[in-house]
Amino acid sequence: RLPAVEMAALRGQMERVAMRSGDILQAAAEPAKSIYFPQAGIISLLAPLEQGGRIEIGHVGREGAAGVHAALGAETLTSEIMAQSDGVLLRADVAVVRGMMESSLPLRKELIRFANVLHAQVAQTAACNGAHEVVQRLARWLLMVHDRSDGDTLLLTHELIALMLGVTRPGVTIAAGALQKAGLIQYSRGRLTIIDRAGLEGAACE
């Protein structure tokens, strides 16, 4: 969405990095050093819990940037930034992006726009987690992952899904079984295939 000249300038300041599922890119409550632009794969934003657990509050694919609030002035981030899947990202230094924003109105507008989008996603996720059953939450989450993936088959373990939804592995097994029985997904040994996208949308929360 950036003008070609400004996109080229930004790319010149970014480093291409491979990410692996489970990599911690930024710990919560530590000084923010980088902004992450996924090119392939998904980055999760996780809220740390007092007793050591974590729960996903949002995630970012190639439509946006993880750590965007650091670019807008936050010195530390309240959420942990973790690679949800294998993929490739472009990493830029926070100070560099802030400096470019001073002279680039298009870049500033796009980062602010995405920060607003991400805020809306986090708010909707909070509402979903508080108001809906695990089956509905799983359906919504799978649709969001599908939106950011290249195909219909997703590499997802019960353990990863349980972490993302903040539920137990048996809870994921029951919910995934219900969606599979309804003919919406097919799941076996860490490979989940979306069979009926429209049906999955109907099964998801609002």
Side-chain angles (χ1 to χ4, degrees), residues 93-171:
D93 184 84
V94 169
V96 169
V97 176
R98 287 178 180 173
M100 295 185 71
M101 288 172 62
E102 293 296 322
S103 59
S104 172
L105 178 60
L107 177 60
R108 187 159 66 250
K109 287 176 64 176
E110 289 305 322
L111 290 175
I112 291 172
R113 181 190 67 84
F114 182 70
N116 289 330
V117 168
L118 187 59
H119 176 78
Q121 181 195 145
V122 171
Q124 192 69 23
T125 299
C128 173
N129 287 347
H132 301 123
E133 301 295 332
V134 177
V135 173
Q136 295 173 297
R137 293 169 57 195
L138 176 59
R140 173 195 58 81
W141 187 82
L142 290 175
L143 289 166
M144 292 176 67
V145 173
H146 192 222
D147 287 341
R148 293 160 176 82
S149 302
D150 290 322
D152 294 332
T153 297
L154 314 172
L155 301 180
L156 299 168
T157 64
H158 277 197
E159 183 177 10
L160 176 66
I161 296 172
L163 169 63
M164 297 298 105
L165 296 182
V167 299
T168 63
R169 289 179 63 182

Side-chain angles (χ1 to χ4, degrees), residues 5 21 23-24 27 31 34 39 49 59 83-85 95-96 102-103 106 108 122 125 145 150 159 181 190 197 201 203:
V5 172
S21 178
D23 285 351
I24 305 302
S34 301
Q39 303 297 286
L49 304 176
H59 61 225
Q84 184 190 115
S85 63
V96 169
E102 293 296 322
S103 59
R108 187 159 66 250
V122 171
T125 299
V145 173
D150 290 322
E159 183 177 10
K181 186 175 181 180
R197 166 88 191 196
E201 290 174 355

